[in-house]
PDB file of all heavy atoms in Angstrom:
ATOM      1  N   ARG A  49     100.662  82.888 112.095  1.00  0.00           N
ATOM      2  CA  ARG A  49     100.084  82.650 110.766  1.00  0.00           C
ATOM      3  C   ARG A  49     101.175  82.416 109.721  1.00  0.00           C
ATOM      4  O   ARG A  49     102.341  82.751 109.886  1.00  0.00           O
ATOM      5  CB  ARG A  49      99.200  83.867 110.350  1.00  0.00           C
ATOM      6  CG  ARG A  49      97.888  83.895 111.127  1.00  0.00           C
ATOM      7  CD  ARG A  49      97.006  85.063 110.803  1.00  0.00           C
ATOM      8  NE  ARG A  49      97.475  86.340 111.349  1.00  0.00           N
ATOM      9  CZ  ARG A  49      96.758  87.416 111.518  1.00  0.00           C
ATOM     10  NH1 ARG A  49      95.471  87.392 111.181  1.00  0.00           N
ATOM     11  NH2 ARG A  49      97.234  88.465 112.054  1.00  0.00           N
ATOM     12  N   PRO A  50     100.801  81.916 108.534  1.00  0.00           N
ATOM     13  CA  PRO A  50     101.784  81.640 107.483  1.00  0.00           C
ATOM     14  C   PRO A  50     102.603  82.850 107.115  1.00  0.00           C
ATOM     15  O   PRO A  50     101.989  83.961 106.950  1.00  0.00           O
ATOM     16  CB  PRO A  50     100.942  81.094 106.314  1.00  0.00           C
ATOM     17  CG  PRO A  50      99.717  80.429 107.004  1.00  0.00           C
ATOM     18  CD  PRO A  50      99.427  81.403 108.210  1.00  0.00           C
ATOM     19  N   MET A  51     103.874  82.651 106.917  1.00  0.00           N
ATOM     20  CA  MET A  51     104.696  83.728 106.382  1.00  0.00           C
ATOM     21  C   MET A  51     104.360  84.092 104.988  1.00  0.00           C
ATOM     22  O   MET A  51     103.704  83.269 104.313  1.00  0.00           O
ATOM     23  CB  MET A  51     106.213  83.306 106.460  1.00  0.00           C
ATOM     24  CG  MET A  51     106.720  83.044 107.862  1.00  0.00           C
ATOM     25  SD  MET A  51     107.121  84.573 108.778  1.00  0.00           S
ATOM     26  CE  MET A  51     108.748  84.868 108.063  1.00  0.00           C
ATOM     27  N   HIS A  52     104.770  85.231 104.521  1.00  0.00           N
ATOM     28  CA  HIS A  52     104.456  85.676 103.197  1.00  0.00           C
ATOM     29  C   HIS A  52     104.762  84.562 102.124  1.00  0.00           C
ATOM     30  O   HIS A  52     105.799  84.071 102.007  1.00  0.00           O
ATOM     31  CB  HIS A  52     105.197  86.903 102.853  1.00  0.00           C
ATOM     32  CG  HIS A  52     104.946  87.445 101.455  1.00  0.00           C
ATOM     33  ND1 HIS A  52     103.728  88.078 101.184  1.00  0.00           N
ATOM     34  CD2 HIS A  52     105.651  87.436 100.325  1.00  0.00           C
ATOM     35  CE1 HIS A  52     103.739  88.425  99.906  1.00  0.00           C
ATOM     36  NE2 HIS A  52     104.880  88.152  99.356  1.00  0.00           N
ATOM     37  N   GLY A  53     103.709  84.276 101.381  1.00  0.00           N
ATOM     38  CA  GLY A  53     103.799  83.268 100.221  1.00  0.00           C
ATOM     39  C   GLY A  53     103.566  81.864 100.700  1.00  0.00           C
ATOM     40  O   GLY A  53     103.424  81.026  99.769  1.00  0.00           O
ATOM     41  N   ASN A  54     103.579  81.581 101.970  1.00  0.00           N
ATOM     42  CA  ASN A  54     103.373  80.161 102.417  1.00  0.00           C
ATOM     43  C   ASN A  54     101.899  79.847 102.579  1.00  0.00           C
ATOM     44  O   ASN A  54     101.068  80.693 102.842  1.00  0.00           O
ATOM     45  CB  ASN A  54     104.058  79.938 103.753  1.00  0.00           C
ATOM     46  CG  ASN A  54     105.555  79.916 103.666  1.00  0.00           C
ATOM     47  OD1 ASN A  54     106.113  79.628 102.531  1.00  0.00           O
ATOM     48  ND2 ASN A  54     106.270  80.171 104.713  1.00  0.00           N
ATOM     49  N   GLU A  55     101.639  78.547 102.374  1.00  0.00           N
ATOM     50  CA  GLU A  55     100.239  78.065 102.517  1.00  0.00           C
ATOM     51  C   GLU A  55     100.227  76.816 103.433  1.00  0.00           C
ATOM     52  O   GLU A  55     101.229  76.092 103.502  1.00  0.00           O
ATOM     53  CB  GLU A  55      99.670  77.666 101.128  1.00  0.00           C
ATOM     54  CG  GLU A  55      99.678  78.787 100.167  1.00  0.00           C
ATOM     55  CD  GLU A  55      99.191  78.214  98.780  1.00  0.00           C
ATOM     56  OE1 GLU A  55      97.965  78.091  98.510  1.00  0.00           O
ATOM     57  OE2 GLU A  55     100.064  77.889  97.978  1.00  0.00           O
ATOM     58  N   ILE A  56      99.149  76.591 104.083  1.00  0.00           N
ATOM     59  CA  ILE A  56      98.951  75.438 104.996  1.00  0.00           C
ATOM     60  C   ILE A  56      97.659  74.783 104.712  1.00  0.00           C
ATOM     61  O   ILE A  56      96.597  75.416 104.475  1.00  0.00           O
ATOM     62  CB  ILE A  56      98.953  75.843 106.478  1.00  0.00           C
ATOM     63  CG1 ILE A  56     100.396  76.317 106.921  1.00  0.00           C
ATOM     64  CG2 ILE A  56      98.514  74.809 107.416  1.00  0.00           C
ATOM     65  CD1 ILE A  56     100.462  76.781 108.373  1.00  0.00           C
ATOM     66  N   ARG A  57      97.685  73.464 104.711  1.00  0.00           N
ATOM     67  CA  ARG A  57      96.468  72.682 104.671  1.00  0.00           C
ATOM     68  C   ARG A  57      96.487  71.721 105.855  1.00  0.00           C
ATOM     69  O   ARG A  57      97.558  71.236 106.258  1.00  0.00           O
ATOM     70  CB  ARG A  57      96.359  71.763 103.405  1.00  0.00           C
ATOM     71  CG  ARG A  57      95.978  72.625 102.139  1.00  0.00           C
ATOM     72  CD  ARG A  57      96.156  71.769 100.898  1.00  0.00           C
ATOM     73  NE  ARG A  57      95.248  70.619 100.981  1.00  0.00           N
ATOM     74  CZ  ARG A  57      95.400  69.532 100.213  1.00  0.00           C
ATOM     75  NH1 ARG A  57      96.391  69.375  99.354  1.00  0.00           N
ATOM     76  NH2 ARG A  57      94.494  68.508 100.312  1.00  0.00           N
ATOM     77  N   ILE A  58      95.316  71.372 106.450  1.00  0.00           N
ATOM     78  CA  ILE A  58      95.156  70.390 107.462  1.00  0.00           C
ATOM     79  C   ILE A  58      94.294  69.252 106.914  1.00  0.00           C
ATOM     80  O   ILE A  58      93.205  69.452 106.512  1.00  0.00           O
ATOM     81  CB  ILE A  58      94.509  70.972 108.712  1.00  0.00           C
ATOM     82  CG1 ILE A  58      95.204  72.271 109.218  1.00  0.00           C
ATOM     83  CG2 ILE A  58      94.424  69.889 109.827  1.00  0.00           C
ATOM     84  CD1 ILE A  58      96.646  72.030 109.674  1.00  0.00           C
ATOM     85  N   VAL A  59      94.975  68.040 106.839  1.00  0.00           N
ATOM     86  CA  VAL A  59      94.258  66.915 106.170  1.00  0.00           C
ATOM     87  C   VAL A  59      94.177  65.701 107.060  1.00  0.00           C
ATOM     88  O   VAL A  59      94.922  65.538 108.031  1.00  0.00           O
ATOM     89  CB  VAL A  59      95.029  66.494 104.895  1.00  0.00           C
ATOM     90  CG1 VAL A  59      95.168  67.771 103.925  1.00  0.00           C
ATOM     91  CG2 VAL A  59      96.457  65.988 105.202  1.00  0.00           C
ATOM     92  N   ASP A  60      93.267  64.797 106.657  1.00  0.00           N
ATOM     93  CA  ASP A  60      93.073  63.545 107.408  1.00  0.00           C
ATOM     94  C   ASP A  60      94.044  62.469 106.775  1.00  0.00           C
ATOM     95  O   ASP A  60      94.804  62.768 105.884  1.00  0.00           O
ATOM     96  CB  ASP A  60      91.619  63.110 107.341  1.00  0.00           C
ATOM     97  CG  ASP A  60      91.105  62.829 105.933  1.00  0.00           C
ATOM     98  OD1 ASP A  60      91.902  62.678 104.998  1.00  0.00           O
ATOM     99  OD2 ASP A  60      89.889  62.812 105.782  1.00  0.00           O
ATOM    100  N   GLU A  61      93.901  61.284 107.233  1.00  0.00           N
ATOM    101  CA  GLU A  61      94.786  60.161 106.790  1.00  0.00           C
ATOM    102  C   GLU A  61      94.725  59.925 105.247  1.00  0.00           C
ATOM    103  O   GLU A  61      95.606  59.441 104.652  1.00  0.00           O
ATOM    104  CB  GLU A  61      94.469  58.855 107.520  1.00  0.00           C
ATOM    105  CG  GLU A  61      94.869  58.882 108.971  1.00  0.00           C
ATOM    106  CD  GLU A  61      96.374  58.928 109.240  1.00  0.00           C
ATOM    107  OE1 GLU A  61      97.074  58.467 108.331  1.00  0.00           O
ATOM    108  OE2 GLU A  61      96.785  59.434 110.316  1.00  0.00           O
ATOM    109  N   ALA A  62      93.536  60.239 104.671  1.00  0.00           N
ATOM    110  CA  ALA A  62      93.319  60.047 103.217  1.00  0.00           C
ATOM    111  C   ALA A  62      93.817  61.248 102.402  1.00  0.00           C
ATOM    112  O   ALA A  62      93.721  61.255 101.180  1.00  0.00           O
ATOM    113  CB  ALA A  62      91.879  59.763 102.988  1.00  0.00           C
ATOM    114  N   GLY A  63      94.299  62.337 103.095  1.00  0.00           N
ATOM    115  CA  GLY A  63      94.725  63.512 102.368  1.00  0.00           C
ATOM    116  C   GLY A  63      93.643  64.489 102.067  1.00  0.00           C
ATOM    117  O   GLY A  63      93.852  65.420 101.317  1.00  0.00           O
ATOM    118  N   SER A  64      92.499  64.271 102.640  1.00  0.00           N
ATOM    119  CA  SER A  64      91.318  65.212 102.443  1.00  0.00           C
ATOM    120  C   SER A  64      91.388  66.381 103.418  1.00  0.00           C
ATOM    121  O   SER A  64      91.677  66.142 104.604  1.00  0.00           O
ATOM    122  CB  SER A  64      90.033  64.454 102.503  1.00  0.00           C
ATOM    123  OG  SER A  64      89.915  63.409 101.598  1.00  0.00           O
ATOM    124  N   ASP A  65      90.974  67.533 102.943  1.00  0.00           N
ATOM    125  CA  ASP A  65      90.987  68.702 103.857  1.00  0.00           C
ATOM    126  C   ASP A  65      89.982  68.579 105.030  1.00  0.00           C
ATOM    127  O   ASP A  65      88.826  68.129 104.774  1.00  0.00           O
ATOM    128  CB  ASP A  65      90.748  69.938 103.067  1.00  0.00           C
ATOM    129  CG  ASP A  65      91.888  70.318 102.088  1.00  0.00           C
ATOM    130  OD1 ASP A  65      92.879  70.785 102.601  1.00  0.00           O
ATOM    131  OD2 ASP A  65      91.760  70.055 100.852  1.00  0.00           O
ATOM    132  N   LEU A  66      90.386  69.044 106.163  1.00  0.00           N
ATOM    133  CA  LEU A  66      89.528  68.993 107.331  1.00  0.00           C
ATOM    134  C   LEU A  66      88.965  70.343 107.622  1.00  0.00           C
ATOM    135  O   LEU A  66      89.512  71.456 107.263  1.00  0.00           O
ATOM    136  CB  LEU A  66      90.299  68.538 108.568  1.00  0.00           C
ATOM    137  CG  LEU A  66      90.731  67.074 108.513  1.00  0.00           C
ATOM    138  CD1 LEU A  66      91.771  66.755 109.580  1.00  0.00           C
ATOM    139  CD2 LEU A  66      89.500  66.117 108.681  1.00  0.00           C
ATOM    140  N   PRO A  67      87.787  70.496 108.278  1.00  0.00           N
ATOM    141  CA  PRO A  67      87.164  71.744 108.578  1.00  0.00           C
ATOM    142  C   PRO A  67      88.130  72.598 109.544  1.00  0.00           C
ATOM    143  O   PRO A  67      88.923  72.036 110.271  1.00  0.00           O
ATOM    144  CB  PRO A  67      85.882  71.403 109.269  1.00  0.00           C
ATOM    145  CG  PRO A  67      85.604  69.960 108.900  1.00  0.00           C
ATOM    146  CD  PRO A  67      86.945  69.376 108.707  1.00  0.00           C
ATOM    147  N   VAL A  68      87.937  73.890 109.580  1.00  0.00           N
ATOM    148  CA  VAL A  68      88.616  74.673 110.503  1.00  0.00           C
ATOM    149  C   VAL A  68      88.418  74.270 111.933  1.00  0.00           C
ATOM    150  O   VAL A  68      87.300  73.919 112.354  1.00  0.00           O
ATOM    151  CB  VAL A  68      88.110  76.197 110.413  1.00  0.00           C
ATOM    152  CG1 VAL A  68      88.717  77.031 111.517  1.00  0.00           C
ATOM    153  CG2 VAL A  68      88.512  76.767 109.008  1.00  0.00           C
ATOM    154  N   GLY A  69      89.537  74.121 112.713  1.00  0.00           N
ATOM    155  CA  GLY A  69      89.362  73.716 114.089  1.00  0.00           C
ATOM    156  C   GLY A  69      89.637  72.231 114.297  1.00  0.00           C
ATOM    157  O   GLY A  69      89.856  71.811 115.430  1.00  0.00           O
ATOM    158  N   GLU A  70      89.574  71.439 113.196  1.00  0.00           N
ATOM    159  CA  GLU A  70      89.760  69.980 113.319  1.00  0.00           C
ATOM    160  C   GLU A  70      91.260  69.702 113.187  1.00  0.00           C
ATOM    161  O   GLU A  70      91.968  70.135 112.250  1.00  0.00           O
ATOM    162  CB  GLU A  70      89.043  69.213 112.239  1.00  0.00           C
ATOM    163  CG  GLU A  70      87.523  69.189 112.484  1.00  0.00           C
ATOM    164  CD  GLU A  70      87.123  68.318 113.652  1.00  0.00           C
ATOM    165  OE1 GLU A  70      87.685  67.302 113.869  1.00  0.00           O
ATOM    166  OE2 GLU A  70      86.241  68.764 114.416  1.00  0.00           O
ATOM    167  N   PRO A  71      91.846  68.860 114.094  1.00  0.00           N
ATOM    168  CA  PRO A  71      93.219  68.525 113.974  1.00  0.00           C
ATOM    169  C   PRO A  71      93.532  67.481 112.885  1.00  0.00           C
ATOM    170  O   PRO A  71      92.714  66.541 112.681  1.00  0.00           O
ATOM    171  CB  PRO A  71      93.589  67.976 115.376  1.00  0.00           C
ATOM    172  CG  PRO A  71      92.302  67.411 115.883  1.00  0.00           C
ATOM    173  CD  PRO A  71      91.244  68.215 115.312  1.00  0.00           C
ATOM    174  N   GLY A  72      94.707  67.613 112.249  1.00  0.00           N
ATOM    175  CA  GLY A  72      95.086  66.675 111.171  1.00  0.00           C
ATOM    176  C   GLY A  72      96.524  66.925 110.888  1.00  0.00           C
ATOM    177  O   GLY A  72      97.229  67.761 111.488  1.00  0.00           O
ATOM    178  N   GLU A  73      97.038  66.246 109.931  1.00  0.00           N
ATOM    179  CA  GLU A  73      98.423  66.399 109.512  1.00  0.00           C
ATOM    180  C   GLU A  73      98.589  67.704 108.830  1.00  0.00           C
ATOM    181  O   GLU A  73      97.754  68.150 107.965  1.00  0.00           O
ATOM    182  CB  GLU A  73      98.932  65.274 108.543  1.00  0.00           C
ATOM    183  CG  GLU A  73     100.419  65.457 108.235  1.00  0.00           C
ATOM    184  CD  GLU A  73     101.002  64.301 107.455  1.00  0.00           C
ATOM    185  OE1 GLU A  73     100.230  63.414 106.971  1.00  0.00           O
ATOM    186  OE2 GLU A  73     102.229  64.314 107.217  1.00  0.00           O
ATOM    187  N   ILE A  74      99.739  68.416 109.094  1.00  0.00           N
ATOM    188  CA  ILE A  74     100.043  69.761 108.526  1.00  0.00           C
ATOM    189  C   ILE A  74     100.713  69.528 107.193  1.00  0.00           C
ATOM    190  O   ILE A  74     101.777  68.886 107.178  1.00  0.00           O
ATOM    191  CB  ILE A  74     100.856  70.558 109.516  1.00  0.00           C
ATOM    192  CG1 ILE A  74     100.099  70.746 110.842  1.00  0.00           C
ATOM    193  CG2 ILE A  74     101.160  71.913 108.833  1.00  0.00           C
ATOM    194  CD1 ILE A  74     100.994  71.284 111.945  1.00  0.00           C
ATOM    195  N   LEU A  75     100.173  70.108 106.091  1.00  0.00           N
ATOM    196  CA  LEU A  75     100.830  70.143 104.847  1.00  0.00           C
ATOM    197  C   LEU A  75     101.251  71.596 104.524  1.00  0.00           C
ATOM    198  O   LEU A  75     100.538  72.558 104.923  1.00  0.00           O
ATOM    199  CB  LEU A  75      99.905  69.721 103.737  1.00  0.00           C
ATOM    200  CG  LEU A  75      99.139  68.317 103.888  1.00  0.00           C
ATOM    201  CD1 LEU A  75      98.405  68.021 102.576  1.00  0.00           C
ATOM    202  CD2 LEU A  75     100.176  67.180 104.120  1.00  0.00           C
ATOM    203  N   THR A  76     102.387  71.781 103.972  1.00  0.00           N
ATOM    204  CA  THR A  76     102.887  73.121 103.654  1.00  0.00           C
ATOM    205  C   THR A  76     103.399  73.253 102.190  1.00  0.00           C
ATOM    206  O   THR A  76     103.842  72.269 101.611  1.00  0.00           O
ATOM    207  CB  THR A  76     103.947  73.582 104.672  1.00  0.00           C
ATOM    208  OG1 THR A  76     105.195  72.856 104.310  1.00  0.00           O
ATOM    209  CG2 THR A  76     103.585  73.391 106.060  1.00  0.00           C
ATOM    210  N   ARG A  77     103.347  74.438 101.681  1.00  0.00           N
ATOM    211  CA  ARG A  77     104.038  74.743 100.434  1.00  0.00           C
ATOM    212  C   ARG A  77     104.311  76.258 100.403  1.00  0.00           C
ATOM    213  O   ARG A  77     103.646  77.020 101.139  1.00  0.00           O
ATOM    214  CB  ARG A  77     103.300  74.247  99.198  1.00  0.00           C
ATOM    215  CG  ARG A  77     102.027  75.000  98.859  1.00  0.00           C
ATOM    216  CD  ARG A  77     101.432  74.449  97.609  1.00  0.00           C
ATOM    217  NE  ARG A  77     100.228  75.229  97.260  1.00  0.00           N
ATOM    218  CZ  ARG A  77      99.424  74.872  96.185  1.00  0.00           C
ATOM    219  NH1 ARG A  77      99.688  73.816  95.410  1.00  0.00           N
ATOM    220  NH2 ARG A  77      98.371  75.614  95.993  1.00  0.00           N
ATOM    221  N   GLY A  78     105.209  76.679  99.578  1.00  0.00           N
ATOM    222  CA  GLY A  78     105.564  78.117  99.531  1.00  0.00           C
ATOM    223  C   GLY A  78     106.969  78.215  98.972  1.00  0.00           C
ATOM    224  O   GLY A  78     107.706  77.294  98.680  1.00  0.00           O
ATOM    225  N   PRO A  79     107.443  79.493  98.738  1.00  0.00           N
ATOM    226  CA  PRO A  79     108.744  79.722  98.111  1.00  0.00           C
ATOM    227  C   PRO A  79     109.892  79.219  98.866  1.00  0.00           C
ATOM    228  O   PRO A  79     111.000  79.023  98.265  1.00  0.00           O
ATOM    229  CB  PRO A  79     108.738  81.293  97.991  1.00  0.00           C
ATOM    230  CG  PRO A  79     107.780  81.774  98.963  1.00  0.00           C
ATOM    231  CD  PRO A  79     106.707  80.772  99.037  1.00  0.00           C
ATOM    232  N   GLU A  80     109.817  78.988 100.176  1.00  0.00           N
ATOM    233  CA  GLU A  80     110.947  78.530 101.026  1.00  0.00           C
ATOM    234  C   GLU A  80     111.011  76.996 101.057  1.00  0.00           C
ATOM    235  O   GLU A  80     112.015  76.454 101.566  1.00  0.00           O
ATOM    236  CB  GLU A  80     110.770  79.043 102.422  1.00  0.00           C
ATOM    237  CG  GLU A  80     110.607  80.517 102.530  1.00  0.00           C
ATOM    238  CD  GLU A  80     109.963  80.933 103.796  1.00  0.00           C
ATOM    239  OE1 GLU A  80     110.247  80.248 104.834  1.00  0.00           O
ATOM    240  OE2 GLU A  80     109.168  81.871 103.880  1.00  0.00           O
ATOM    241  N   ARG A  81     109.962  76.338 100.617  1.00  0.00           N
ATOM    242  CA  ARG A  81     109.956  74.879 100.698  1.00  0.00           C
ATOM    243  C   ARG A  81     111.104  74.219  99.888  1.00  0.00           C
ATOM    244  O   ARG A  81     111.445  74.701  98.831  1.00  0.00           O
ATOM    245  CB  ARG A  81     108.615  74.344 100.123  1.00  0.00           C
ATOM    246  CG  ARG A  81     108.256  72.977 100.586  1.00  0.00           C
ATOM    247  CD  ARG A  81     107.560  72.248  99.446  1.00  0.00           C
ATOM    248  NE  ARG A  81     108.503  71.917  98.343  1.00  0.00           N
ATOM    249  CZ  ARG A  81     108.119  71.553  97.172  1.00  0.00           C
ATOM    250  NH1 ARG A  81     106.888  71.553  96.824  1.00  0.00           N
ATOM    251  NH2 ARG A  81     109.037  71.293  96.287  1.00  0.00           N
ATOM    252  N   PHE A  82     111.709  73.220 100.495  1.00  0.00           N
ATOM    253  CA  PHE A  82     112.842  72.559  99.898  1.00  0.00           C
ATOM    254  C   PHE A  82     112.550  71.956  98.528  1.00  0.00           C
ATOM    255  O   PHE A  82     111.413  71.712  98.171  1.00  0.00           O
ATOM    256  CB  PHE A  82     113.492  71.564 100.853  1.00  0.00           C
ATOM    257  CG  PHE A  82     112.764  70.292 101.016  1.00  0.00           C
ATOM    258  CD1 PHE A  82     113.432  69.061 100.961  1.00  0.00           C
ATOM    259  CD2 PHE A  82     111.401  70.203 101.303  1.00  0.00           C
ATOM    260  CE1 PHE A  82     112.769  67.826 101.162  1.00  0.00           C
ATOM    261  CE2 PHE A  82     110.753  69.028 101.501  1.00  0.00           C
ATOM    262  CZ  PHE A  82     111.423  67.856 101.440  1.00  0.00           C
ATOM    263  N   LEU A  83     113.619  71.593  97.751  1.00  0.00           N
ATOM    264  CA  LEU A  83     113.437  70.967  96.445  1.00  0.00           C
ATOM    265  C   LEU A  83     113.062  69.495  96.525  1.00  0.00           C
ATOM    266  O   LEU A  83     112.494  68.989  95.614  1.00  0.00           O
ATOM    267  CB  LEU A  83     114.707  71.165  95.656  1.00  0.00           C
ATOM    268  CG  LEU A  83     115.246  72.658  95.463  1.00  0.00           C
ATOM    269  CD1 LEU A  83     116.551  72.562  94.695  1.00  0.00           C
ATOM    270  CD2 LEU A  83     114.221  73.511  94.746  1.00  0.00           C
ATOM    271  N   GLY A  84     113.476  68.833  97.574  1.00  0.00           N
ATOM    272  CA  GLY A  84     113.332  67.413  97.754  1.00  0.00           C
ATOM    273  C   GLY A  84     114.487  66.848  98.543  1.00  0.00           C
ATOM    274  O   GLY A  84     115.390  67.587  98.976  1.00  0.00           O
ATOM    275  N   TYR A  85     114.544  65.549  98.650  1.00  0.00           N
ATOM    276  CA  TYR A  85     115.558  64.865  99.442  1.00  0.00           C
ATOM    277  C   TYR A  85     116.625  64.332  98.465  1.00  0.00           C
ATOM    278  O   TYR A  85     116.376  64.152  97.287  1.00  0.00           O
ATOM    279  CB  TYR A  85     115.016  63.703 100.211  1.00  0.00           C
ATOM    280  CG  TYR A  85     114.130  64.157 101.393  1.00  0.00           C
ATOM    281  CD1 TYR A  85     112.810  63.940 101.420  1.00  0.00           C
ATOM    282  CD2 TYR A  85     114.659  64.757 102.580  1.00  0.00           C
ATOM    283  CE1 TYR A  85     111.914  64.292 102.417  1.00  0.00           C
ATOM    284  CE2 TYR A  85     113.902  65.159 103.606  1.00  0.00           C
ATOM    285  CZ  TYR A  85     112.552  64.910 103.564  1.00  0.00           C
ATOM    286  OH  TYR A  85     111.763  65.316 104.653  1.00  0.00           O
ATOM    287  N   LEU A  86     117.834  64.182  98.996  1.00  0.00           N
ATOM    288  CA  LEU A  86     118.924  63.632  98.200  1.00  0.00           C
ATOM    289  C   LEU A  86     118.581  62.223  97.772  1.00  0.00           C
ATOM    290  O   LEU A  86     118.825  61.828  96.653  1.00  0.00           O
ATOM    291  CB  LEU A  86     120.198  63.625  99.050  1.00  0.00           C
ATOM    292  CG  LEU A  86     121.496  63.085  98.416  1.00  0.00           C
ATOM    293  CD1 LEU A  86     121.842  63.898  97.159  1.00  0.00           C
ATOM    294  CD2 LEU A  86     122.613  63.002  99.350  1.00  0.00           C
ATOM    295  N   ASP A  87     118.018  61.484  98.710  1.00  0.00           N
ATOM    296  CA  ASP A  87     117.500  60.108  98.400  1.00  0.00           C
ATOM    297  C   ASP A  87     116.074  60.299  97.813  1.00  0.00           C
ATOM    298  O   ASP A  87     115.122  60.521  98.511  1.00  0.00           O
ATOM    299  CB  ASP A  87     117.426  59.282  99.656  1.00  0.00           C
ATOM    300  CG  ASP A  87     116.923  57.875  99.436  1.00  0.00           C
ATOM    301  OD1 ASP A  87     116.461  57.592  98.264  1.00  0.00           O
ATOM    302  OD2 ASP A  87     116.961  57.102 100.348  1.00  0.00           O
ATOM    303  N   LYS A  88     115.939  60.172  96.511  1.00  0.00           N
ATOM    304  CA  LYS A  88     114.640  60.511  95.836  1.00  0.00           C
ATOM    305  C   LYS A  88     113.581  59.559  96.201  1.00  0.00           C
ATOM    306  O   LYS A  88     112.349  59.903  96.085  1.00  0.00           O
ATOM    307  CB  LYS A  88     114.861  60.507  94.307  1.00  0.00           C
ATOM    308  CG  LYS A  88     115.768  61.516  93.748  1.00  0.00           C
ATOM    309  CD  LYS A  88     115.285  62.964  94.231  1.00  0.00           C
ATOM    310  CE  LYS A  88     116.248  64.036  93.824  1.00  0.00           C
ATOM    311  NZ  LYS A  88     115.884  65.343  94.484  1.00  0.00           N
TER     312      LYS A  88
END
């Protein structure tokens, strides 16, 4: 399960949340998430 402070969403190609149990792209955020890429 997500570590303390982390969150997960499972979304479809349009970025909409999917029901529990449905596979989709994993989105994450939380205190450990990076700031961004060097190449903006």
Side-chain angles (χ1 to χ4, degrees):
R49 285 180 283 202
M51 295 281 278
H52 179 72
N54 287 337
E55 300 173 85
I56 289 178
R57 288 172 59 199
I58 306 296
V59 301
D60 61 19
E61 291 292 335
S64 300
D65 291 284
L66 291 167
V68 170
E70 287 291 320
E73 183 174 7
I74 301 167
L75 307 184
T76 70
R77 70 178 180 185
E80 309 159 33
R81 199 217 70 199
F82 74 132
L83 304 177
Y85 291 109
L86 180 62
D87 181 352
K88 294 306 175 189

